Amino acid sequence: MKIKSILCVSLLTLGAGLMTAVSPAQAQAYVSVQIGQPPPPGYEVVPPPRRGFVWAPCYWRWDGRRHVWIGGSWIRARPGYHYVPPRWERGPRGDWRFRPNQWAR
């Protein structure tokens, strides 16, 4: 029983020593997440215009596991800017990238 304990402690110590011996350049990792194509846009009834507000249309958002539907809403207009709604764009490698909403001049 005592030999097993000593062996376990020795292995843990050796493993910890090897982990600290790795240089920072070797410890870096790259993680790629493949997100499938977003579902097609849904249908939404756009309410009549409101003075001083811009309608931000509905869209699909990725929550880390799946696409989630986000309904449209009114947002306060910014004088001198136009609203660019959020959108999904196909990347150069065929992957999908989400571009959040923004205000552009």
Side-chain angles (χ1 to χ4, degrees), residues 80-100:
Y81 292 86
H82 70 276
Y83 179 74
V84 180
R87 64 205 176 281
W88 285 93
E89 295 177 348
R90 193 157 206 133
R93 295 185 311 246
D95 54 338
W96 288 93
R97 298 175 183 193
F98 180 74
R99 302 291 183 206

Side-chain angles (χ1 to χ4, degrees), residues 72-84:
S73 62
W74 290 107
I75 56 175
R76 189 168 300 281
R78 293 182 62 190
Y81 292 86
H82 70 276
Y83 179 74
V84 180

Side-chain angles (χ1 to χ4, degrees), residues 3 23 34 36 42 52 57 60 68 70 74 79 86 96 102:
I3 293 175
S23 72
Q34 185 68 29
W60 289 100
V68 178
I70 305 298
W74 290 107
W96 288 93
Q102 62 180 335

Side-chain angles (χ1 to χ4, degrees), residues 42-87:
Y43 176 75
E44 182 175 53
V45 176
V46 178
R50 284 178 59 184
R51 182 180 300 251
F53 288 85
V54 175
W55 179 253
C58 54
Y59 63 96
W60 289 100
R61 179 179 58 85
W62 182 254
D63 76 351
R65 287 188 273 155
R66 61 189 173 91
H67 289 96
V68 178
W69 178 255
I70 305 298
S73 62
W74 290 107
I75 56 175
R76 189 168 300 281
R78 293 182 62 190
Y81 292 86
H82 70 276
Y83 179 74
V84 180
R87 64 205 176 281

Side-chain angles (χ1 to χ4, degrees), residues 6-38:
I6 293 171
L7 183 59
C8 286
V9 170
S10 299
L11 287 174
L12 288 172
T13 305
L14 178 64
L18 288 175
M19 290 174 61
T20 58
V22 175
S23 72
Q26 294 170 332
Q28 293 177 357
Y30 176 76
V31 177
S32 176
V33 178
Q34 185 68 29
I35 297 174
Q37 179 176 357

